[in-house]
Amino acid sequence: MYKYPVAEPEIGEEELKNVVEAVKSGWVSSRGKFIEEFENSFAKYIGVKYGVATSNGTAALHLALTALNIGEGDEVIVPDLTFAATINSVIYVSAKPVIVDVNPDYWCIDPNKLEKAITPNTKAIIPVHLYGHPCDMEAIMEIASKHNLYVIEDAAEAHGAEYKGRKVGSFGHISCFSFYGNKIITTGEGGMCLTNDRELAEKIRILRDHGMNPVKRYWHDIVGFNYRMTNLQAALGLAQLDKIERFIGKKREIAKIYAEELSSVEGIVLHPEMPWAKCVYWLYSILIDEGKVKMTRDKLAEKLEKDGIETRNFFYPLHEMPIYRKYANLTYTASSKISKQGLNLPSSIKLSEEDVKYIARKIKEAVIRH
Ligand SMILES: Cc1ncc(COP(=O)(O)O)c(C=O)c1O
């Protein structure tokens, strides 16, 4: 346990009340009033018509790809810098992932490098709104529409983030969210698919429940999964959703303090927010230019740990991992550099202003050359 964790949930009386109500009602599995309410409320919050709650964010991605009939012989473009769930879901459906570099300025998939990766077999793009920063959705949707591709937004880390005033998760054909314990709002484990397409939503719903015919019980027209969310999880999520604007406000306040404290430090690049973006800073992150500071990123992380300050190194670029290397045939200059330099800082909504200033001071003391 760290005194200053990277992320931790804030769970209050409202969540407790909902969960107790769900338990007392006896609806503890995947039926019950909270599920539909959570689906509808979250979809409405993002600005999408239909929501299908799932057991986790990875399951949401798997369902999205399956519902779009993506499979063997198809190619799906993913960014080099992401959590493994993004690429794994493509492999689950036997499609071929194609790894594309990220933009050096805001760390998400680079639309300028996208078109080079498109072949006659490309069926979809999965842009990932990394660490709370939106992708350049206009550029991505334009390329997708030109080449007739599906877009599945991976918004696991970016609840409430906006691109030109519109929430991420409302651009793609389907978007996928995670409600894991460290996410902006949580259901413990959990996820959701959102879509404006009624038929697609219905198909995802059926696939989530073993592919069972919704009117003819125990009759299966397609092979599905058990990827359902429980009523208990949805009860928790619904109470969390009521607080989402406060949580995001807090994340943005934390970001502002880090930025103020660290902006003048030579060798530190702050978490970006492009002019077209509202970043939700799921994990406030910095890049450390090791040539300009006193110690390496890894040494800094070690030093901070001694003061009870948890940090995380950025994700490894997918193309560097032997298991995924065969899906990487392009160049990856930005992702390699960002991954080596990147550090996620404590971004828990429970941190006070003094906490964030203390962490920033510890970073400055460690890295500034005198
Ligand atoms: C970018 C991204 N995609 C997908 C997932 C998968 O979500 P889950 O852990 O709920 O399966 C995560 C997070 O954990 C993630 O960060």
Side-chain angles (χ1 to χ4, degrees):
M1 282 293 280
Y2 290 90
K3 182 152 186 226
Y4 306 103
V6 160
E8 63 182 340
E10 188 193 287
I11 294 168
E13 288 303 316
E14 301 78 8
E15 285 83 347
L16 216 57
K17 183 177 156 287
N18 272 11
V19 174
V20 167
E21 186 186 329
V23 171
K24 283 187 174 167
S25 75
W27 295 103
V28 294
S29 290
S30 46
R31 290 174 71 186
K33 72 166 197 174
F34 287 109
I35 297 167
E36 216 179 293
E37 213 178 322
F38 182 49
E39 289 175 335
N40 292 340
S41 307
F42 189 73
K44 190 165 167 219
Y45 172 72
I46 298 295
V48 179
K49 279 191 193 151
Y50 308 103
V52 184
T54 59
S55 47
N56 55 62
T58 312
L61 287 165
H62 190 186
L63 285 172
L65 288 157
T66 310
L68 293 170
N69 294 321
I70 291 168
E72 204 161 345
D74 298 334
E75 292 176 10
V76 178
I77 295 173
V78 298
D80 196 23
L81 213 52
T82 183
F83 183 58
T86 317
I87 189 166
N88 286 348
S89 64
V90 178
I91 299 168
Y92 296 162
V93 297
S94 306
K96 180 182 162 201
V98 174
I99 301 171
V100 167
D101 199 9
V102 299
N103 183 286
D105 296 329
Y106 58 93
W107 313 341
C108 299
I109 198 161
D110 195 336
N112 297 319
K113 297 174 186 160
L114 252 179
E115 275 195 296
K116 246 194 245 146
I118 295 170
T119 75
N121 295 327
T122 311
K123 286 283 166 1
I125 307 168
I126 311 186
V128 179
H129 308 293
L130 195 75
Y131 302 135
H133 194 287
C135 298
D136 184 350
M137 288 315 296
E138 222 164 66
I140 292 168
M141 294 313 290
E142 207 177 295
I143 294 167
S145 137
K146 184 171 149 198
H147 295 273
N148 206 16
L149 308 176
Y150 291 119
V151 173
I152 301 169
E153 285 179 77
D154 183 340
E157 305 180 357
H159 316 62
E162 291 174 13
Y163 174 83
K164 294 190 177 172
R166 183 170 150 194
K167 286 201 176 64
V168 304
S170 68
F171 292 86
H173 299 85
I174 303 176
S175 60
C176 300
F177 287 82
S178 165
F179 303 115
Y180 184 71
N182 62 10
K183 296 300 188 294
I184 291 180
I185 61 165
T186 186
T187 59
E189 291 276 357
M192 201 179 294
C193 290
L194 299 183
T195 180
N196 283 316
D197 183 324
R198 195 177 56 80
E199 277 177 31
L200 211 45
E202 185 56 21
K203 189 165 177 198
I204 295 169
R205 217 172 277 287
I206 291 168
L207 281 166
R208 176 183 67 172
D209 191 14
H210 297 285
M212 200 187 318
N213 189 308
V215 288
K216 193 169 167 184
R217 199 171 194 157
Y218 302 131
W219 185 266
H220 298 259
D221 302 297
I222 42 177
V223 176
F225 314 91
N226 176 359
Y227 281 166
R228 298 178 305 243
M229 177 181 274
T230 68
N231 198 39
L232 303 182
Q233 290 166 301
L236 181 59
L238 197 62
Q240 287 266 292
L241 187 56
D242 277 343
K243 303 175 179 178
I244 194 165
E245 285 306 323
R246 179 165 65 76
F247 290 172
I248 291 170
K250 188 69 209 267
K251 293 266 187 197
R252 288 180 59 81
E253 257 172 54
I254 290 170
K256 194 159 164 268
I257 302 167
Y258 275 130
E260 279 165 7
E261 297 293 316
L262 298 173
S263 63
S264 59
V265 181
E266 164 129 39
I268 289 187
V269 175
L270 302 176
H271 200 134
E273 182 172 51
M274 297 302 278
W276 37 260
K278 179 185 174 186
C279 180
V280 288
Y281 302 100
W282 168 55
L283 298 182
Y284 189 86
S285 309
I286 53 174
L287 304 184
I288 312 266
D289 185 342
E290 292 185 355
K292 293 184 180 156
V293 296
K294 213 163 63 182
M295 62 177 68
T296 64
R297 176 196 63 178
D298 294 353
K299 277 271 176 303
L300 171 65
E302 260 175 50
K303 192 159 187 338
L304 294 173
E305 188 170 8
K306 291 202 180 96
D307 291 313
I309 300 167
E310 184 188 21
T311 59
R312 299 255 173 91
N313 287 352
F314 272 25
F315 298 124
Y316 290 102
L318 294 175
H319 83 272
E320 286 184 11
M321 290 182 257
I323 191 89
Y324 303 124
R325 205 168 281 155
K326 60 176 177 281
Y327 308 120
N329 293 313
L330 299 157
T331 50
Y332 304 98
T333 43
S335 54
S336 293
K337 189 167 169 209
I338 292 163
S339 168
K340 273 196 203 77
Q341 298 187 337
L343 195 66
N344 305 127
L345 302 181
S347 310
S348 163
I349 43 186
K350 290 183 179 171
L351 294 173
S352 69
E353 185 178 340
E354 290 67 42
D355 292 337
V356 182
K357 284 187 172 163
Y358 170 80
I359 297 162
R361 195 172 73 241
K362 286 287 168 190
I363 294 170
K364 281 194 274 194
E365 281 171 15
V367 303
I368 293 177
R369 285 179 174 162
H370 296 290

